[in-house]
């Protein structure tokens, strides 16, 4: 237990007596930090001297730990300038982390100065309004509703050889897979070199070397010390082999990595992800390697995903556990599992704004990058041999020899997805499908038949015009037009994504059921994500594009070689189209700025797509021009 106490404090120890004992035994803990998570996934951090915590420990544990004016969190139209008070209430149901600063050694103990990180809820006008509280409500609502449905329809668990009275509770298990890029001194790496390495899959699961190996090994070791149970760390498909200078030092590091760790209950799983990111950043920073969790750090290269896994287990009073989704020998899933999957797919349009919420995320979700852009699932080609289809939105993970392995893998999230909100929408969506199936007295055969329907076939729950199961590669088996018909039109920008709230008003009650989301929270999130879209586009993406365009210089002199002038003219035409006014028509960048000035968000969104296409063409033209320069 002492080993555990070095890095985290378990929920059963989060009481006044045990905390005071631990703090007395660990004088290197000099600060506490209250860590709430706002609607955009930003986690707060404030250094409070531990003496203040000890003096006010009852208030920290049972009241409002800290209050702020709301300027430190993103809760638009909730924490307003004239009503911005936010109270922070400690969560004693999860681990409290001990965060070590290895760059700051305590002069008394000789140990790194530590901060006790306290996960919190954000309270405004007496209501919890943060991401963690939304997930907490979703978990409680899901658990209560499942127990209620089991009591109402005991025959639905009879095939599992149990009766409702034997069930002690419902557990939601969750985990995430985290991909990221590690880079240092990569300026001299050519995009073509990186892209070729990716296409050849030279880096995927290759042996790590040098500082990358050290960083990955230290990350996994630290995760173990924090009780995070790492399962694997490996190189992903992106990147190139790092180069070695004459003195033996590695340079030009640009590699994509992935780390995976063991599942936990939903709230702890989301907290674990934030801690893993902190460990990764700090570990690689000490090696002078920058880490980015952007979904698409470089155009033309593999993006980073963060697949979300979720399952449901019944905990029996005798201590046994049963996977609620595992099917019998004739089915991929139980009726509970089929219904949950149908709920995920049917309600994805109103869940996706919370899952894919940035410009960067949409640059990742494009056809041809094995990214899930279609609302479709895969169950596997046969019952006997589970398979994986990386082109679908939701995959069924199962092991014929292990019933506890059955779970769903949502493939659209990325490392910047707000995991708390993503998991909350998953639970609400699954519950909607389960409630419909049981209230409609649907059995496994009927549910599987509807899940496997073809476009145009009759459906009682799913959309009649669509199909929802595919075991083929959706990018090669269908044309663009066929995909739109079979799976629905895919949003291409943040603005198109949030329009789902207006296009599917009948599905909003799925989110608000049980008071999990409120209309005020949905509105606040929508305002926040729309403003983030605008600011990123105007003040980050366009300025970066301008720098890139200005770097595309004319490389030939005089007449040059045959074709040089013509190829350069193509480049120039696109540069002008993007940046300059021609024949009285503003350049693309200016048209976006003007649209935002007029609050014409639809035009800004449409022009953003034109901008991306123009930049893609410009890069291709400049690449062709530069590659044909002889002298």
């Amino acid at each position: 237990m002492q080993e555990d106490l070095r890095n985290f404090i378990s929920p059963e120890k989060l009481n006044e007596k045990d905390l005071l004992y631990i703090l007395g035994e660990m004088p290197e803990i000099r600060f506490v930090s209250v860590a709430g998570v706002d609607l955009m996934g930003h986690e707060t951090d404030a250094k409070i001297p531990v003496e203040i915590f000890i003096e006010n420990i009852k208030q920290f544990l049972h009241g409002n730990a800290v209050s702020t004016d709301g300027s430190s969190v993103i809760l638009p139209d909730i924490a307003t300038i004239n009503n911005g008070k936010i109270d922070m209430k400690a969560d004693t149901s999860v681990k409290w982390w001990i965060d070590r600063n290895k760059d700051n050694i305590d002069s008394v103990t000789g140990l790194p100065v530590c901060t006790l990180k306290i996960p919190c809820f954000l309270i405004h006008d007496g209501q919890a309004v943060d991401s963690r509280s939304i997930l907490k409500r979703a978990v409680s609502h899901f658990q209560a509703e499942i127990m209620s449905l089991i009591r109402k329809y005991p025959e639905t668990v009879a095939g599992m050889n149990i009766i409702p009275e034997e069930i002690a509770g419902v557990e939601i298990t969750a985990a995430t897979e985290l991909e990221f890029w590690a880079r240092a001194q990569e300026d001299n790496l050519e995009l073509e070199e990186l892209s070729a390495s990716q296409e050849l899959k030279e880096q995927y699961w290759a042996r790590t070397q040098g500082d990358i190996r050290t960083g990955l090994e230290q990350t996994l070791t630290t995760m173990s010390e924090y009780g995070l149970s790492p399962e694997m760390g490996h190189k992903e498909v992106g990147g190139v082999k790092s180069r070695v200078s004459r003195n033996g030092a590695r340079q030009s590091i640009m590699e994509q990595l992935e780390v995976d760790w063991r599942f936990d209950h939903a709230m702890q799983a989301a907290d674990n992800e934030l801690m893993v990111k902190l460990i990764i950043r700090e570990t690689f920073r000490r090696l002078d390697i920058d880490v980015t969790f952007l979904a698409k750090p470089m155009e033309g290269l593999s993006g980073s995903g963060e697949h979300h896994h979720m399952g449901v287990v019944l905990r029996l009073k005798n201590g046994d556990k049963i996977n609620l989704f595992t099917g019998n020998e004739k089915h991929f899933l139980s009726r509970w599992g089929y219904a949950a999957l149908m709920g995920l797919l049917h309600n994805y349009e109103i869940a996706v704004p919370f899952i894919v919420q940035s410009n960067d995320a949409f640059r990742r979700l494009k056809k041809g990058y094995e990214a899930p852009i279609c609302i479709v699932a895969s169950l596997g080609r046969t019952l006997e041999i589970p398979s994986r289809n990386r082109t679908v939105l939701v995959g069924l993970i199962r092991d014929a020899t292990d019933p506890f392995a059955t779970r769903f893998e949502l493939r659209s999230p990325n490392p910047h997805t707000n995991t708390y909100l993503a998991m909350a929408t998953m639970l609400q969506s699954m519950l909607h499908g389960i409630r419909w199936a049981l209230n409609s007295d649907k059995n496994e055969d009927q549910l599987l038949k509807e899940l496997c329907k073809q476009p145009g076939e009759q459906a009682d729950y799913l959309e009649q015009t669509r199909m929802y199961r595919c075991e083929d590669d959706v990018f090669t088996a269908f044309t663009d037009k066929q995909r739109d018909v079979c799976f629905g039109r895919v949003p291409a920008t943040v603005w198109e994504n949030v329009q789902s709230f207006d296009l599917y008003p009948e599905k909003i009650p799925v989110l608000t059921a049980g008071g999990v989301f409120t209309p005020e929270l949905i509105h606040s999130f929508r305002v926040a994500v729309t403003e983030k879209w605008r600011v990123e586009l105007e003040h980050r993406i366009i300025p970066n594009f301008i720098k890139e365009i200005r770097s595309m210089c004319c490389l030939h002199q005089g007449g040059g070689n045959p074709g040089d002038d013509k190829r350069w003219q193509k480049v120039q035409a696109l540069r002008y189209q993007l940046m300059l006014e021609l024949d009285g028509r503003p350049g693309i960048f200016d048209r976006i700025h003007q649209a935002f000035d007029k609050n014409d968000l639809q035009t800004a969104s449409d022009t953003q797509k034109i901008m991306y296409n123009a930049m893609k063409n410009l890069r291709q033209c400049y690449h062709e021009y530069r590659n044909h320069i002889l002298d």
Side-chain angles (χ1 to χ4, degrees):
M1 189 62 189
Q2 290 299 317
E3 184 68 19
D4 290 344
L5 291 179
R6 287 196 309 109
N7 295 299
F8 64 86
I9 304 176
S10 298
E12 62 270 16
K13 296 291 183 179
L14 297 178
N15 57 74
E16 184 176 349
K17 178 182 176 182
D18 286 327
L19 282 171
L20 291 176
Y21 173 79
I22 292 168
L23 293 174
E25 291 291 304
M26 300 183 67
E28 66 270 25
I29 299 179
R30 301 293 300 276
F31 302 97
V32 300
S33 174
V34 284
V37 182
D38 64 24
L39 293 181
M40 294 307 294
H42 301 148
E43 186 180 37
T44 62
D45 179 30
K47 298 294 182 185
I48 301 171
V50 71
E51 293 82 6
I52 294 178
F53 174 79
I54 292 173
E55 182 180 346
N56 300 278
I57 190 168
K58 287 185 172 64
Q59 181 70 18
F60 270 84
L61 286 173
H62 308 296
N64 294 324
V66 174
S67 294
T68 177
D69 64 4
S71 61
S72 59
V73 293
I74 300 178
L75 295 166
D77 293 343
I78 292 179
T80 59
I81 194 169
N82 63 332
N83 185 19
K85 184 173 181 287
I86 295 290
D87 297 318
M88 306 182 76
K89 184 177 178 62
D91 183 358
T92 56
S93 68
V94 295
K95 295 176 182 176
W96 289 11
W97 305 105
I98 297 174
D99 179 15
R100 285 178 157 71
N101 183 1
K102 296 182 179 180
D103 296 327
N104 184 16
I105 304 302
D106 184 79
S107 59
V108 177
T109 65
L111 298 171
V113 170
C114 296
T115 297
L116 180 59
K117 183 179 176 183
I118 305 175
C120 287
F121 301 113
L122 305 179
I123 313 296
H124 181 265
D125 283 347
Q127 302 296 318
V129 293
D130 60 293
S131 296
R132 297 186 80 260
S133 67
I134 292 172
L135 178 56
K136 181 181 179 180
R137 290 194 294 269
V139 169
S140 298
H141 179 56
F142 187 92
Q143 292 171 328
E145 286 295 299
I146 293 299
M147 288 299 297
S148 176
L149 288 168
I150 289 174
R151 287 190 290 268
K152 185 177 181 180
Y153 303 108
E155 68 277 8
T156 60
V157 295
M160 303 175 188
N161 298 317
I162 57 173
I163 58 176
E165 291 74 20
E166 295 175 331
I167 302 173
V170 178
E171 295 181 1
I172 300 162
T173 60
T176 55
E177 306 172 21
L178 181 59
E179 296 175 357
F180 60 96
W181 281 83
R183 55 192 182 186
Q185 302 179 18
E186 81 281 4
D187 291 343
N188 60 336
L189 291 177
E190 293 286 349
L191 178 61
E192 186 173 6
E193 179 183 1
L194 290 162
S195 182
S197 179
Q198 175 179 301
E199 291 297 320
L200 294 171
K201 298 186 183 296
E202 292 175 331
Q203 300 303 303
Y204 197 49
W205 281 45
R207 181 178 182 271
T208 53
Q209 300 178 12
D211 287 343
I212 290 293
R213 174 178 177 174
T214 300
L216 186 58
E217 290 174 349
Q218 289 180 353
T219 293
L220 296 174
T221 299
T222 304
M223 288 171 62
S224 292
E225 293 171 352
Y226 274 83
L228 292 164
S229 302
E231 295 182 336
M232 186 183 301
H234 62 83
K235 293 181 73 170
E236 259 293 334
V237 68
V240 294
K241 182 179 178 181
S242 57
R243 296 167 180 165
V244 181
S245 64
R246 291 184 178 180
N247 62 7
R250 295 201 172 267
Q251 58 185 7
S252 300
I253 295 172
M254 188 69 172
E255 303 192 31
Q256 189 182 32
L257 305 171
E258 177 181 323
V259 292
D260 308 320
W261 57 97
R262 186 172 172 79
F263 65 86
D264 214 316
H265 66 83
M267 184 69 82
Q268 188 63 66
D271 283 355
N272 289 350
E273 180 206 311
L274 292 182
M275 194 62 199
V276 170
K277 287 180 178 177
L278 176 62
I279 290 171
I280 291 171
R281 286 194 187 98
E282 287 299 302
T283 300
F284 281 87
R285 180 189 63 81
R286 288 193 295 272
L287 296 169
D288 293 324
I289 297 175
D290 180 46
V291 164
T292 177
F293 294 112
L294 289 173
K296 192 79 168 177
M298 291 185 67
E299 194 65 42
L301 297 182
S302 176
S304 293
E306 188 186 62
H307 304 161
H308 284 26
H309 294 248
M310 185 169 284
V312 179
V313 172
L314 299 180
R315 186 180 71 256
L316 305 185
K317 293 177 180 178
N318 65 5
D320 291 343
K321 293 184 178 182
I322 296 176
N323 191 317
L324 188 62
F325 291 165
T326 298
N328 56 33
E329 65 279 0
K330 296 181 180 180
H331 276 280
F332 294 96
L333 290 162
S334 67
R335 77 172 74 185
W336 297 84
Y338 284 132
L341 178 56
M342 291 168 69
L344 273 177
L345 298 170
H346 179 64
N347 297 299
Y348 187 70
E349 284 95 348
I350 55 162
V352 67
F354 296 97
I355 297 169
V356 183
Q357 54 182 249
S358 68
N359 290 291
D360 201 54
F362 279 98
R363 292 170 62 209
R364 168 181 171 255
L365 296 181
K366 293 182 179 180
K367 63 179 181 178
Y369 287 96
E370 297 180 352
I373 63 172
C374 301
I375 302 176
V376 63
S378 167
L379 299 178
R381 292 187 176 274
T382 67
L383 275 171
E384 295 75 19
I385 305 176
S387 59
R388 297 282 187 96
N389 184 345
R390 299 201 304 273
T391 68
V392 298
L393 174 69
V394 184
L396 170 62
I397 309 299
R398 53 187 290 271
D399 184 337
T401 64
D402 182 8
F404 286 102
T406 305
R407 62 191 186 275
F408 299 127
E409 177 189 39
L410 183 67
R411 298 180 57 82
S412 56
N414 65 81
H416 276 185
T417 293
N418 185 332
T419 297
Y420 300 95
L421 299 187
M423 288 185 178
T425 62
M426 290 176 70
L427 289 170
Q428 293 291 89
S429 298
M430 290 193 300
L431 183 58
H432 185 264
I434 291 171
R435 190 185 293 113
W436 169 82
L438 269 62
N439 288 338
S440 303
D441 194 26
K442 298 290 184 178
N443 60 34
E444 287 90 340
D445 292 332
Q446 293 169 318
L447 294 171
L448 179 60
K449 181 180 179 181
E450 180 158 340
L451 185 61
C452 298
K453 64 177 286 297
Q454 294 299 307
E457 292 183 357
Q458 179 62 37
D460 294 329
Y461 179 70
L462 300 174
E463 300 290 337
Q464 183 171 334
T465 58
R466 297 188 187 179
M467 64 181 290
Y468 290 89
R469 179 190 177 186
C470 182
E471 304 301 335
D472 297 321
D473 182 337
V474 298
F475 299 119
T476 60
F478 302 88
T479 65
D480 291 350
K481 184 176 181 180
Q482 288 172 333
R483 276 194 297 272
D484 287 347
V485 171
C486 293
F487 310 120
R489 183 176 173 273
V490 180
T493 69
V494 174
W495 172 250
E496 290 183 357
N497 211 25
V498 298
Q499 291 301 100
S500 294
F501 294 133
D502 298 328
L503 294 173
Y504 303 95
E506 73 281 2
K507 295 184 179 182
I508 296 296
V510 175
L511 298 176
T512 58
V516 173
F517 289 85
T518 65
E520 294 77 14
L521 285 170
I522 294 173
H523 168 75
S524 182
F525 173 84
R526 181 173 184 169
V527 171
V529 78
T530 302
E531 178 63 7
K532 180 183 178 183
W533 164 62
R534 181 194 68 79
V535 171
E536 282 186 344
L537 190 51
E538 287 202 277
H539 302 293
R540 182 173 293 166
I541 295 174
I542 290 178
N544 286 340
F545 282 172
I546 289 174
K547 291 179 182 178
E548 183 180 354
I549 291 170
R550 286 173 176 164
S551 71
M552 297 178 178
C553 302
C554 182
L555 302 176
H556 70 282
Q557 298 179 354
N561 301 300
D564 284 349
D565 284 339
K566 184 177 181 180
R567 283 186 285 268
W568 174 245
Q569 287 170 6
K570 288 182 180 179
V571 172
Q572 279 290 72
L574 287 165
R575 295 173 83 216
Y576 290 167
Q577 180 185 352
L578 283 156
M579 291 187 61
L580 301 179
E581 180 177 326
L582 295 174
D583 299 325
R585 181 173 174 78
I588 292 174
F589 295 156
D590 287 337
R591 279 153 47 196
I592 291 175
H593 291 309
Q594 291 170 5
F596 279 124
D597 289 342
K598 298 175 182 177
N599 200 34
D600 185 354
L601 304 185
Q602 185 62 58
T603 296
S605 174
D606 293 340
T607 312
Q608 179 184 10
K609 292 186 287 186
I610 295 172
M611 176 187 71
Y612 281 149
N613 286 331
M615 285 299 301
K616 179 181 179 181
N617 292 336
L618 175 59
R619 292 183 182 114
Q620 291 174 341
C621 288
Y622 190 71
H623 175 78
E624 183 179 355
Y625 163 70
R626 188 179 60 178
N627 277 10
H628 284 84
I629 297 293
L630 287 177
D631 302 314

